[in-house]
Amino acid sequence: MPAVNTKLAALLTAIATLSAVAGSAADVTNAPYEIDGRKSGYLFMTPATRSLQDDEFQNPGMFAVERGRELWNQKDGPDGKSCASCHGDAETSMTGVAARYPVFDSARGGLVNLELRINTERADRMKASTYKYESDELLALTSYISYQSRGKPLNVDIEGPAKPFFEEGRKFYDARRGQLDLACGQCHDALVGSKLRGDVISQGQLNGFPIHRLSWRAMVSRHRIFAWCNTSVRAEPYAAGSPEYLSLELYVAWRGRGLPIEAPAVRR
Amino acid sequence: MTIIRKSIAAWLPVLAASSFIVTAAVGEGLVNFKIENGAVPQPLTGEPGNPARGRQIVRDMNHVTCLICHSMPIPEEPDHGEIGPPLAGVGSRFTASELRLRLIDPKAVNPATIMPSYYRVSNFMRVGESFRDRPIYTAQQIEDVVAYLSLLKDN
């Protein structure tokens, strides 16, 4: 174990209680960051950024994971239930879940991702208030649940009722948009590894989300980064949680199939 | 004068392949221009392009600008892009009229190009609200950048 920064002593205590943590951390260190040419954003980061992600005592995203663990166990709503009341220990019940999302939800008649699932569970089962998309709480719970899938390969279902949404997502990905008239793939497929000003263009994979983005000093969801990309090509973004971004999320998750969940990844 | 607004994209292959004179206007408030043989011979403004101003425009980090994607003979700027071809010597490879079209609407030359159109406002999908109905560069900025790029001759 590395020497412990005193500021992170609380984190250490928390992590010590998570028996599965050491195992999954080791998995991700050894996990392949490239599968059949599909490359995690990790491979486009500097060695300093990679080691920041790899060291759980330094990784700033671990604060969100730790906060998520607290929220998982925190009772809320009139019946005094927490996530754990029904789902028990997330370290076992949530293993692999983030790697399968988004999924088709028949009650909803559409796709649901981890963030929306957390909120519908809170509303329907706990009768508790929902979290705002991109709130600290929702990012924390999403990070904590995703963390339980660390090292597990992205494996979304695009068949059956999910198929039309998948096709919508592909169309979104392939469409030129905004004043700069750019489609996602024109950079993230055709120009991977090239420099756009000082930045190296990655494949835009989402296996690391929620990420800690260094330039924003913040945790960032998959949909927030979609909105940021759209805004960067001077297109009007969609709302986080919108059907458009859910379909895009399904397509992009499939596009990165097999890449290991790295949440909370650290990106530039 | 033929005005093409809504469907300029449908005409692009025609425009590019044509050796005839075609006239296109690209939206309300924009200066009309003529595409002739893969070039726009007439300047968009009465004021001649200013190359010093053009050089400032292409390195302005707050703008969508050449340096993001192209390397340029501007050694004092770090981090030149490497997506498009290097622009050193571009003034020897293209005339000012050809450079003008390649800035105004490079898709008139190559519909598949990744390069944005700097003086076009129509036929885009879902342009952000604050960018609607205005081109990336003003007519004068186009002229200034054309004047600068024209000076980038091979030694």
Side-chain angles (χ1 to χ4, degrees):
Chain A
M1 279 240 171
V4 180
N5 183 327
T6 45
K7 280 194 295 186
L8 296 173
L11 182 61
L12 171 68
T13 315
I15 287 172
T17 65
L18 301 174
S19 55
V21 164
S24 44
D27 288 348
V28 80
T29 308
N30 300 323
Y33 292 99
E34 179 172 353
I35 305 280
D36 295 338
R38 301 185 286 279
K39 291 181 181 176
S40 165
Y42 183 90
L43 297 175
F44 300 88
M45 296 300 114
T46 61
T49 305
R50 290 187 197 184
S51 54
L52 195 58
Q53 173 175 323
D54 293 342
D55 183 349
E56 301 208 333
F57 299 102
Q58 299 289 331
N59 183 335
M62 289 306 295
F63 287 105
V65 171
E66 172 52 20
R67 173 87 177 113
R69 189 185 68 82
E70 288 167 15
L71 291 169
W72 179 266
N73 293 298
Q74 185 176 295
K75 294 182 171 72
D76 202 353
D79 304 330
K81 289 204 282 191
S82 69
C83 305
S85 306
C86 295
H87 294 287
D89 188 348
E91 287 167 39
T92 47
S93 65
M94 291 295 119
T95 303
V97 171
R100 295 198 304 270
Y101 270 64
V103 298
F104 178 80
D105 180 67
S106 49
R108 199 183 173 87
L111 297 179
V112 64
N113 66 358
L114 222 43
E115 286 90 341
L116 297 189
R117 178 68 87 207
I118 290 166
N119 268 337
T120 49
E121 295 287 294
R122 283 181 60 80
D124 298 348
R125 310 260 190 123
M126 293 166 65
K127 316 252 184 300
S129 60
T130 56
Y131 294 128
K132 212 172 152 231
Y133 216 107
E134 223 56 28
S135 62
D136 289 347
E137 290 86 354
L138 193 53
L139 280 164
L141 265 175
T142 309
S143 299
Y144 177 62
I145 294 169
S146 301
Y147 184 74
Q148 309 311 323
S149 295
R150 257 197 161 190
K152 296 277 184 288
L154 274 179
N155 180 29
V156 289
D157 183 4
I158 60 164
E159 298 302 330
K163 186 114 189 171
F165 300 95
F166 172 77
E167 293 302 338
E168 280 302 308
R170 187 204 295 271
K171 261 198 285 184
F172 189 111
Y173 185 90
D174 287 339
R176 285 178 176 245
R177 67 188 63 241
Q179 190 189 44
L180 304 194
D181 204 25
L182 289 171
C184 309
Q186 285 184 287
C187 286
H188 293 299
D189 292 320
L191 291 171
V192 174
S194 298
K195 276 177 94 175
L196 187 72
R197 212 61 222 248
D199 288 340
V200 180
I201 297 175
S202 77
Q203 290 186 350
Q205 301 289 0
L206 44 62
N207 56 305
F209 282 80
I211 59 168
H212 178 90
R213 195 169 203 223
L214 294 168
S215 52
W216 293 351
R217 294 199 185 89
M219 292 303 290
V220 176
S221 73
R222 294 170 169 185
H223 287 199
R224 184 173 173 200
I225 215 76
F226 290 161
W228 175 78
C229 282
N230 283 173
T231 305
S232 297
V233 301
R234 298 187 168 183
E236 196 65 25
Y238 291 88
S242 61
E244 288 83 2
Y245 282 170
L246 287 166
S247 295
L248 181 63
E249 183 180 352
L250 180 64
Y251 175 71
V252 179
W254 170 82
R255 187 174 159 270
R257 61 202 176 281
L259 289 175
I261 295 285
E262 283 172 38
V266 180
R267 299 290 185 257
R268 64 183 164 241
Chain B
M1 200 175 262
T2 312
I3 308 276
I4 302 168
R5 285 222 180 89
K6 284 184 186 159
S7 59
I8 193 164
W11 285 86
L12 289 178
V14 182
L15 297 178
S18 174
S19 59
F20 299 100
I21 296 174
V22 183
T23 306
V26 283
E28 316 274 4
L30 269 63
V31 177
N32 287 353
F33 58 85
K34 272 186 188 174
I35 300 175
E36 298 176 34
N37 300 318
V40 176
Q42 291 300 314
L44 299 180
T45 64
E47 183 186 340
N50 178 325
R53 261 191 336 233
R55 194 176 191 275
Q56 280 306 311
I57 292 166
V58 302
R59 53 181 291 206
D60 179 0
M61 281 292 282
N62 297 315
H63 226 304
V64 177
T65 194
C66 315
L67 215 49
I68 296 174
C69 294
H70 299 272
S71 71
M72 303 186 79
I74 305 182
E76 67 273 28
E77 285 289 342
D79 297 330
H80 297 208
E82 51 186 32
I83 287 166
L87 294 182
V90 74
S92 297
R93 297 195 290 277
F94 296 105
T95 65
S97 306
E98 289 167 338
L99 288 171
R100 188 176 290 110
L101 176 59
R102 280 157 178 77
L103 277 174
I104 289 173
D105 190 9
K107 280 146 195 168
V109 180
N110 171 15
T113 185
I114 190 170
M115 182 170 157
S117 302
Y118 282 76
Y119 199 71
R120 197 181 106 195
V121 296
S122 56
N123 235 82
F124 291 124
M125 181 196 281
R126 215 177 149 81
V127 173
E129 208 176 319
S130 51
F131 300 105
R132 258 166 237 169
D133 299 322
R134 65 178 187 86
I136 298 174
Y137 281 175
T138 65
Q140 191 59 50
Q141 285 174 321
I142 294 281
E143 291 307 318
D144 292 344
V145 174
V146 168
Y148 167 65
L149 295 177
S150 299
L151 294 180
L152 301 182
K153 304 286 191 192
D154 282 329
N155 292 325

